[in-house]
Amino acid sequence: MTTAAGCREHPDLAPLTTEELAARIARDIPPGSYVNLGIGQPTRIAEHLAPDAGIVLHTENGMLGMGPAATGDAIDPDLTNAGKVPVTELPGAAYFHHADSFAMMRGGHLDVCVLGAFQVSHHGDLANWHTGDPDAIPAVGGAMDLAVGAREVLVMMKLFTRDGAAKLVPACTYPLTGAGCVSRVYTDHGVFEPGPDGVRVLETYGTTADTLGERLGVGLIR
Amino acid sequence: MRTTIADTVDAAVAGIEDGATVLVGGFGLAGMPFDLIDALIRQGAGDLTVVSNNAGNGDVGLAALLRAGRVRKVVCSFPRQSDSYVFDELYRAGRIELEVVPQGTLAERMRAAGAGIGAFYSPVGAGTPLADGKETREIDGRVHVLEHPIKGDVALISAHRADTMGNVVYRRTARNFGPVMATAATTVVAQVGEIVPAGQLDPESVVTPGIYVDRVVRTEVRRLTVQGAR
């Protein structure tokens, strides 16, 4: 992943739609990568990957070379993605068991994963599995393994909650999924790189870096 | 001991005791040993600890076992799903215990049990609530968490095909936890769609060698998918 010099501001554009955001992330995934797309919005990135980029999708329930969702007669109960949605198999696919699937993650063989998030801290901590609500049933799935294992952990999220609260925060108030693991955060209002020295802003949509910094209450590094 | 071929699923699950730890294969419904679970419900063992990736989908398989009130505790990575209403109700009523384990750690803890590893350090979960109370150690500048094996009294798995030696092959992503659970339990029971004579499986393609498998039983293939789960 290359870091752009300076910040590209696009104050005249509207904030990105989910589809535009998926396409934006797809452009940053290096050709030839092995990639895991998290359950939910990140799965939409698959539709925007260039067919000739040779990107191979991993699904943690034991497959490399996952194809698009299955429809009609192609639906096979023995072939699903991590969201339990029936999918298809591409030429050159491989199957393996769960311990191997997570060993290839933890062992640093997976180039990129894209996850959703409740919160990301300015230092790259990720919270995406539990709101801490005492009535909620905790469920972590493979999120902690992906957060620690993938070489690049990209986050795809809205920058603000419906109530307007920032989701890029000085410190996560929700329970952590992983500490200091996020490489880059892609949002409807901008692209950010959290790190030990604070948050770098790489791009903005429908706003300027100064305005975003004020809304987020943080001095953004250019 | 050599694998035996059971005539019925009821014979295949005979002897499971109250309080047993049962490893149940499957990821959602793919690879779920429905018929063995139904037989376990008839068999009657209760106060069970179930180790599985999920905590039941819809009304079938693991969800049916939970509804029958046989399970004291679930160890899993992802209980809450759009169709996990049986578990959700029991949990909210305080009638079932839950231990949440990161999915890869769940698999690796069973792998460790099957491979004779006493415990292992993993970076997964470090700095999160799931590491609370666990021993940690910094290795190569990174915090690791000490994780202990999960050993089953029984494993119930579903696979595509077996031979009379107990060698097993799986189909597509229904493989999931089957191979690792088959190594990690005292008694391993596999339901398969077909049993062929020894010599008719390509030895190069065997995923679970028969040494791990105690009982095999043939069952009809069911085609169930999770509807609308996202």
Side-chain angles (χ1 to χ4, degrees):
Chain A
M1 218 119 314
T2 53
T3 302
C7 172
R8 282 170 301 196
E9 297 177 301
H10 302 290
D12 302 332
L13 293 180
L16 299 190
T17 63
T18 301
E19 223 47 57
E20 289 168 338
L21 187 55
R24 174 67 191 82
I25 297 170
R27 283 206 300 279
D28 275 1
I29 296 179
S33 302
Y34 287 98
V35 177
N36 183 298
L37 301 174
I39 297 172
Q41 290 191 359
T43 57
R44 296 206 200 174
I45 295 165
E47 293 156 33
H48 299 280
L49 296 171
D52 60 355
I55 290 165
V56 180
L57 295 183
H58 171 265
T59 182
E60 57 262 40
N61 51 318
M63 180 187 197
L64 282 164
M66 178 175 63
T71 55
D73 290 345
I75 291 174
D76 179 346
D78 286 346
L79 180 50
T80 73
N81 67 11
K84 281 97 179 174
V85 175
V87 292
T88 51
E89 164 192 296
L90 295 179
Y95 296 108
F96 32 85
H97 64 66
H98 246 84
D100 276 353
S101 184
F102 282 81
M104 68 179 69
M105 224 182 256
R106 215 187 293 109
H109 307 281
L110 194 66
D111 297 300
V112 178
C113 78
V114 187
L115 298 170
F118 297 147
Q119 291 175 326
V120 176
S121 84
H122 296 168
H123 304 292
D125 297 341
L126 172 67
N128 78 347
W129 71 286
H130 195 354
T131 59
D133 179 345
D135 287 341
I137 298 173
V140 70
M144 287 187 182
D145 311 86
L146 278 166
V148 160
R151 293 153 71 111
E152 300 276 355
V153 176
L154 311 184
V155 164
M156 175 181 186
M157 69 176 193
K158 295 234 186 281
L159 186 54
F160 300 98
T161 66
R162 276 182 207 150
D163 302 332
K167 294 168 69 177
L168 189 60
V169 293
C172 294
T173 54
Y174 293 147
L176 288 194
T177 305
C181 58
V182 177
S183 333
R184 206 175 265 193
V185 185
Y186 292 83
T187 77
D188 45 352
H189 293 282
V191 180
F192 306 90
E193 259 179 16
D197 304 324
V199 185
R200 180 175 296 277
V201 57
L202 302 177
E203 260 177 67
T204 67
Y205 313 111
T207 183
T208 63
D210 288 342
T211 308
L212 266 188
E214 281 167 32
R215 281 192 76 184
L216 293 168
V218 61
L220 294 169
I221 305 165
R222 305 289 187 101
Chain B
M1 297 300 283
R2 288 278 297 272
T3 308
T4 58
I5 310 294
D7 290 333
T8 65
V9 286
D10 295 282
V13 302
I16 298 177
E17 294 180 0
D18 288 348
T21 294
V22 184
L23 315 182
V24 177
F27 183 87
L29 300 179
M32 172 75 67
F34 299 105
D35 301 278
L36 294 176
I37 294 171
D38 289 348
L40 176 57
I41 294 170
R42 290 192 295 274
Q43 189 262 1
D47 197 30
L48 302 171
T49 294
V50 165
V51 184
S52 196
N53 187 62
N54 303 106
N57 299 84
D59 298 294
V60 294
L62 191 47
L65 184 67
L66 297 184
R67 176 155 278 165
R70 304 293 170 70
V71 181
R72 181 179 64 79
K73 180 179 180 182
V74 170
V75 181
C76 74
S77 87
F78 207 80
R80 186 193 65 230
Q81 297 170 94
S82 60
D83 59 354
S84 62
Y85 43 84
V86 173
F87 172 82
D88 298 356
E89 200 178 307
L90 288 168
Y91 181 78
R92 296 216 156 95
R95 288 167 56 202
I96 199 158
E97 278 179 59
L98 171 66
E99 179 183 348
V100 173
V101 180
Q103 201 169 125
T105 302
L106 187 67
E108 194 63 16
R109 286 175 64 185
M110 288 187 275
R111 201 196 71 80
I117 302 296
F120 60 93
Y121 281 102
S122 167
V124 176
T128 80
L130 296 190
D132 285 351
K134 292 183 175 173
E135 197 177 320
T136 59
R137 176 171 181 166
E138 197 172 305
I139 301 170
D140 284 341
R142 199 174 198 194
V143 180
H144 287 63
V145 182
L146 186 66
E147 298 286 358
H148 288 84
I150 297 175
K151 175 128 182 104
D153 297 303
V154 182
L156 305 180
I157 64 174
S158 173
H160 183 46
R161 194 178 282 155
D163 69 11
T164 49
M165 293 295 287
N167 297 308
V168 171
V169 295
Y170 301 83
R171 191 167 171 277
R172 300 183 141 174
T173 59
R175 181 183 304 199
N176 58 66
F177 282 93
V180 75
M181 287 182 172
T183 68
T186 308
T187 301
V188 174
V189 187
Q191 69 168 72
V192 297
E194 187 182 7
I195 300 174
V196 300
Q200 294 204 0
L201 286 183
D202 176 2
E204 297 281 6
S205 74
V206 169
V207 176
T208 295
I211 190 170
Y212 294 118
V213 181
D214 296 282
R215 303 172 193 166
V216 169
V217 62
R218 196 192 74 78
T219 57
E220 293 300 320
V221 175
R222 294 200 217 179
R223 291 180 58 86
L224 294 172
T225 54
V226 178
Q227 296 303 324
R230 268 322 303 219

